[in-house]
Amino acid sequence: MAQPQASDCPASRVQASFARQSIMALLGADLDVVEPGRVDIVLPYRADLCQQNGFLHAGISTTIADSAGGYAAYTLFEPGEDVLTSEFKMNFLAPAKGDRYVASGRVVKPGKRLSICQVEVHAYEGEQATLCVIGLLTAVRVTPR
C-alpha cells in the first residue's frame, strides 16, 4: 500500500496554497491553525492597513476572513481539487482595534460542490478579544478539467 505523500495531507496543501497567495505575504498574514474544517489566520497590527480612524480597514478584515473560510473548506477537499469563493456576507459588529487580528473559518456544511463556512474576525489587545466581523461564506470546489 502506498504511503500518502506530503501533498496529500490537507494541512500541507493549505500551507502550499497559502504561500502562493502574494496578498497574504503583502499583508503580513500567517496561518495559525489548520485542521479539518477549520483554519485561523493571524494578522499583526500595522498602521498602514488601517482606515482613517485607526481601525483595521474593512477590506483587510474581509480579505483575511475570505481566505480563512476558503481554506477551511479546502481542508476537506481531495488532492488536485482547488477552492474559490462564490459569495460572502459579512456583518461588522465592532471597530477592529488591536495589536493582532485573527480570522477564523469553520465549515458549517460541507458539500460535493459548495461548502458553507462561518467566518469571524477577532481583534486582540493582549489576550482580550473583541468579535469585530462575523459572516457566512460559500466556497466552491473546483475540480481539474
Side-chain angles (χ1 to χ4, degrees):
M1 183 157 145
Q3 294 294 320
Q5 300 296 312
S7 63
D8 292 345
C9 171
S12 295
R13 287 187 285 116
V14 167
Q15 291 164 352
S17 179
F18 188 86
R20 291 190 307 272
Q21 276 203 14
S22 56
I23 187 66
M24 291 296 123
L26 179 68
L27 297 177
D30 288 307
L31 288 170
D32 184 38
V33 174
V34 180
E35 299 173 350
R38 176 182 173 203
V39 167
D40 289 358
I41 295 173
V42 176
L43 177 67
Y45 169 82
R46 282 184 24 203
D48 61 328
L49 299 179
C50 293
Q51 47 84 291
Q52 71 280 5
N53 298 308
F55 305 126
L56 186 67
H57 194 282
I60 304 301
S61 296
T62 58
T63 298
I64 60 174
D66 172 40
S67 286
Y71 281 127
Y74 187 61
T75 64
L76 303 179
F77 294 176
E78 296 298 320
E81 297 177 330
D82 212 337
V83 64
L84 291 173
T85 299
S86 68
E87 175 182 45
F88 65 69
K89 163 72 167 89
M90 304 290 175
N91 289 330
F92 296 86
L93 306 177
K97 181 93 170 141
D99 52 63
R100 73 188 186 288
Y101 310 94
V102 178
S104 301
R106 310 284 183 283
V107 176
V108 175
K109 173 141 184 2
K112 291 179 182 177
R113 179 83 170 133
L114 302 176
S115 294
I116 308 303
C117 304
Q118 180 174 323
V119 294
E120 297 179 354
V121 177
H122 286 84
Y124 282 83
E125 283 283 354
E127 295 306 310
Q128 180 67 38
T130 301
L131 178 60
C132 299
V133 179
I134 191 165
L136 285 177
L137 178 142
T138 303
V140 179
R141 183 185 310 248
V142 179
T143 55
R145 292 180 184 225

